[in-house]
Amino acid sequence: QVQLVESGGGLVQPGGSLRLSCAASGSIFSIRVMEWYRQAPGNQRELVASMTSGGSTNYTTSVKGRFTISRDNAKNTVYLQMNSLKPEDTAVYYCKLTVRLTMSWQNDYWGQGTQVTVSS
């Protein structure tokens, strides 16, 4: 079994920065895909950023140039650095990892979510 623990959310003023962390533990063979989603009240959950095991990244248009996804393989931890935050970034942020448990078996796991509020 794999557990994900998110941290780093909070209240920040517009223009400020936050760094979210998603630490994975358990029977991890490797992590194939790392993703950050967010969901604002009344909205569908949207994919914000993703990174493959090969290091390729993608961002939704609204966060390009402001958010950066990164990872620490030794710690099985994924980060989302968020700069120049805007009120419209307010949402609950979730990490999702596609974890290879063995050479031939993988599952998707979600973090518990962390609230990010951008407000003056």
Side-chain angles (χ1 to χ4, degrees):
Q1 190 59 280
V2 174
Q3 297 81 38
L4 304 186
V5 177
E6 296 185 37
S7 60
L11 173 64
V12 64
Q13 292 187 341
S17 298
L18 284 174
R19 189 177 80 157
L20 307 183
S21 299
C22 174
S25 62
S27 302
I28 299 170
F29 182 76
S30 65
I31 299 175
R32 294 196 62 196
V33 181
M34 295 143 275
E35 297 170 311
W36 285 97
Y37 288 76
R38 66 185 179 188
Q39 187 167 20
N43 290 356
Q44 289 188 335
R45 191 171 295 188
E46 67 166 337
L47 177 62
V48 175
S50 64
M51 175 182 276
T52 67
S53 57
S56 297
T57 59
N58 276 292
Y59 300 91
T60 192
T61 300
S62 62
V63 308
K64 283 182 180 178
R66 300 189 298 122
F67 290 12
T68 303
I69 187 171
S70 63
R71 64 188 178 184
D72 184 331
N73 290 333
K75 296 181 179 179
N76 283 330
T77 299
V78 180
Y79 304 98
L80 186 67
Q81 178 68 43
M82 304 185 294
N83 299 328
S84 303
L85 282 161
K86 305 175 181 180
E88 51 264 42
D89 295 317
T90 296
V92 178
Y93 284 71
Y94 300 89
C95 62
K96 176 189 168 189
L97 304 185
T98 301
V99 177
R100 183 174 283 173
L101 303 172
T102 67
M103 283 292 290
S104 57
W105 183 27
Q106 67 180 41
N107 275 339
D108 290 338
Y109 296 90
W110 288 87
Q112 81 279 12
T114 185
Q115 176 70 47
V116 171
T117 302
V118 185
S119 175
S120 55

